[in-house]
Amino acid sequence: MKKIIDYLFYRYYLISIKNEEFPRFGATCILAEIIMMAYLFAVLILSFLLTRDFFLPNTSGRARIIIGIIGSFLPWIVIYLHYNKKRINALLEKYQNNRYNTKYSDKAVLSLSYIVPTVGLILMLLLYQFR
């Protein structure tokens, strides 16, 4: 999983450079968005599997706020602090001649931010049928 996240950060970093944006900040935002969505859908699906109801029915309002804060802000902070200049330079050297750089276009890599919520919603819809 770490290799996939490293590669996605590398590709988002290059896309941000091509679009003349702040590369570290842009790559962090996109990757944190994807991780946040995957985390929140995992929480909702796990809640359904445990309680047969979405949206954490047996938790207090405080627990829901804590889960939301962890899912919303923690990924961004962790990713931004994890990928410092030294680590980014190592990623640039490591993935420079990777075969997936030419195999998948920038649009395909960016579309991952649309694929994750779509898959999550489809899974929730399928699980809702077994309610």
Side-chain angles (χ1 to χ4, degrees):
M1 185 61 107
K2 177 154 176 39
K3 281 184 166 184
I4 294 171
I5 292 175
D6 282 345
Y7 181 73
L8 286 174
F9 184 86
Y10 163 77
R11 286 297 297 268
Y12 294 142
Y13 187 84
L14 292 181
I15 291 169
S16 295
I17 289 174
K18 285 180 188 176
N19 292 331
E20 299 175 359
E21 299 169 351
F22 299 107
R24 183 178 173 199
F25 181 76
T28 299
C29 287
I30 295 171
L31 190 59
E33 174 191 359
I34 292 171
I35 291 174
M36 175 187 67
M37 286 186 288
Y39 167 78
L40 293 176
F41 277 118
V43 166
L44 291 175
I45 290 171
L46 183 64
S47 170
F48 180 82
L49 293 175
L50 294 176
T51 64
R52 294 288 181 212
D53 195 10
F54 291 113
F55 307 115
L56 307 166
N58 297 328
T59 57
S60 65
R62 182 180 295 164
R64 290 180 190 174
I65 291 171
I66 291 171
I67 290 170
I69 289 172
I70 289 172
S72 299
F73 297 110
L74 193 62
W76 194 94
I77 295 167
V78 169
I79 291 169
Y80 192 79
L81 294 176
H82 179 71
Y83 291 105
N84 54 20
K85 289 183 181 184
K86 182 179 176 182
R87 190 160 283 136
I88 291 171
N89 288 333
L91 288 177
L92 291 174
E93 291 177 16
K94 181 178 179 181
Y95 293 116
Q96 184 176 12
N97 296 322
N98 195 327
R99 64 183 173 143
Y100 296 116
N101 292 343
T102 56
K103 188 173 183 179
Y104 299 113
S105 68
D106 291 345
K107 290 181 182 179
V109 174
L110 285 173
S111 68
L112 192 60
S113 61
Y114 299 111
I115 293 172
V116 169
T118 304
V119 169
L121 288 173
I122 290 172
L123 282 173
M124 287 177 66
L125 180 67
L126 290 175
L127 286 174
Y128 190 73
Q129 301 301 317
F130 298 109
R131 185 171 177 203

